[in-house]
């Protein structure tokens, strides 16, 4: 696709693009929004976004927006997990990992949490989600990355597997009306680490 460009934004800059973030969400998740599920409502989504970019939280969030001829058509973001992170609260690990108490210990440089990837439905199926994924992770220096995916989201799940992710457990976030997600993990090439014992289901 000619005319594409990817722009990275810090937490402070991300707050200035709040209306753009919401607009992309509305164009990317029309069916989920129409379902009426509280967790998927634009209001709930933006409440979570505001928490992620709260200046008192210092999450270190990085937002990437892809533009086509200056029109925003997709976005992704994430942040490094700090020692006091609540990300792993409620985690149930698979198999041998369940006995590994070190799994959830964070330092601020160990794990990058990839929170969202979305593309305007008018541009779906053109590889933009993968390009956003790679654009966000390419410059990360953490050992590993993690993300959450709904088990029944077959299309996204299949894509993540192709991109190198493996399931390690399940987790229900503390957000109101949150579903239970599968937890995926991927070693980041920048450190050439490996994920041992990750279950593939």
């Amino acid at each position: 696709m000619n005319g594409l460009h990817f722009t990275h934004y810090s937490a402070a800059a991300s707050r200035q693009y709040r209306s753009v973030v919401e607009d992309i969400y509305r164009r990317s998740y029309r069916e989920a929004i129409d379902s009426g599920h509280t967790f998927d409502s634009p209001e709930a989504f933006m409440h979570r976004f505001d928490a992620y970019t709260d200046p008192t939280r210092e999450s270190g969030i990085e937002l990437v927006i892809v533009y086509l001829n200056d029109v925003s058509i997709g976005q992704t973001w994430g942040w490094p997990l700090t020692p006091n992170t609540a990300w792993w609260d409620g985690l149930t690990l698979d198999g041998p990992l369940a006995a590994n108490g070190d799994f959830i210990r964070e330092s601020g440089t160990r794990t990058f949490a990839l929170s969202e990837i979305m593309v305007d439905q008018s541009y779906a199926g053109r590889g933009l989600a993968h390009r956003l994924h790679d654009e966000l992770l390419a410059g990360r220096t953490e050992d590993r990355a993690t993300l959450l995916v709904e088990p029944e989201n077959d299309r996204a799940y299949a894509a993540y597997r192709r991109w190198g992710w493996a399931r390690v457990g399940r987790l229900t976030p503390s957000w109101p009306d949150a579903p239970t997600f599968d937890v995926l993990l991927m070693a980041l090439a920048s450190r050439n680490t490996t994920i041992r014992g990750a279950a593939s289901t």
Side-chain angles (χ1 to χ4, degrees):
M1 296 176 66
N2 295 326
L4 283 180
H5 65 276
F6 297 80
T7 304
H8 293 244
Y9 300 97
S10 65
S14 297
R15 291 191 290 274
Q16 300 175 27
Y17 284 82
R18 188 182 188 280
S19 62
V20 176
V21 168
E22 180 174 356
D23 182 51
I24 295 172
Y25 176 75
R26 288 179 178 274
R27 287 184 276 130
S28 302
Y29 285 101
R30 294 170 191 159
E31 292 180 4
I33 293 170
D34 290 344
S35 73
H37 193 287
T38 304
F39 184 79
D40 295 319
S41 71
E43 294 77 17
F45 177 79
M46 294 311 298
H47 176 72
R48 296 191 295 272
F49 177 78
D50 289 340
Y52 301 147
T53 59
D54 184 338
T56 65
R57 187 170 180 260
E58 298 182 355
S59 67
I61 191 172
E62 180 179 5
L63 165 70
V64 178
I65 297 178
V66 58
Y67 298 88
L68 177 61
N69 299 323
D70 298 323
V71 177
S72 59
I73 61 172
Q75 61 192 355
T76 183
W77 68 74
W79 57 85
L81 298 182
T82 61
N84 61 348
T85 182
W87 178 275
W88 298 121
D89 290 358
L91 172 67
T92 301
L93 288 168
D94 292 336
L97 287 175
N100 186 357
D102 182 60
F103 185 89
I104 63 173
R105 293 191 185 124
E106 298 297 344
S107 62
T109 60
R110 185 186 189 193
T111 308
F112 182 77
L114 199 166
S115 179
E116 299 285 348
I117 302 178
M118 64 192 73
V119 174
D120 182 331
Q121 288 185 359
S122 300
Y123 298 92
R126 305 188 190 188
L128 287 174
H130 195 186
R131 292 188 64 178
L132 278 163
H133 168 275
D134 290 351
E135 182 73 21
L136 179 61
L137 294 181
R140 302 309 309 182
T141 59
E142 291 82 8
D143 294 333
R144 62 187 190 175
T146 187
L147 61 77
L148 306 179
V149 59
E150 294 190 55
E152 64 275 14
N153 189 343
D154 295 334
R155 183 174 180 179
Y157 219 132
Y160 291 138
R161 288 182 181 281
R162 290 196 305 272
W163 302 346
W165 295 83
R167 171 182 152 145
V168 294
R170 305 195 79 190
L171 187 152
T172 305
S174 60
W175 294 108
D177 302 302
T180 297
F181 294 93
D182 277 5
V183 181
L184 306 189
L185 204 70
M186 182 175 70
L188 294 178
S190 59
R191 294 290 183 87
N192 195 29
T193 56
T194 57
I195 303 170
R196 296 180 175 84
S200 182
T201 61

